[in-house]
Amino acid sequence: MSDTETHPEYLAVQVSPEFQELRSRLRRFVFPMSALFLIWYFAYVLLSVFATDFMAIKVWGNINVGLLIGLGQFVSTFVITGLYVRFANRELDPRAEKIRHELEGAQ
């Protein structure tokens, strides 16, 4: 027996406007950010395969454009993680907490 069969209040929460808004806000952040990161990542891969002369341009000493863009991949991962944590703390967590309290109060 699934949780929704033993706890019909879960279904009620799932179709509630508050839960739908929570899902909508999450999707409005996650999908565009994921698409942006994937485009950035594949641009790096494609540049490294098809623009080797560009990627080999020396910037400073033995540091070249390819290395800087590669390091930028790590930096962008941390930036995206930080943005998501801030977004979740401000937008998602308070709404999820409210829904949880309402659900626990209904049981």
Side-chain angles (χ1 to χ4, degrees), residues 38-88:
L38 285 173
I39 290 167
W40 161 236
Y41 174 74
F42 285 121
Y44 172 67
V45 171
L46 292 172
L47 284 171
S48 67
V49 172
F50 297 110
T52 54
D53 290 340
F54 171 71
M55 297 293 266
I57 295 172
K58 301 248 185 209
V59 177
W60 180 68
N62 287 329
I63 308 295
N64 61 24
V65 171
L67 181 61
L68 291 178
I69 295 174
L71 291 173
Q73 294 287 318
F74 288 100
V75 172
S76 66
T77 300
F78 288 113
V79 168
I80 289 170
T81 301
L83 290 172
Y84 176 77
V85 168
R86 192 175 89 195
F87 173 75

Side-chain angles (χ1 to χ4, degrees), residues 13 15 20 31 38 56 92-93:
V13 168
V15 297
Q20 295 300 319
F31 289 145
L38 285 173
L92 302 179
D93 292 348

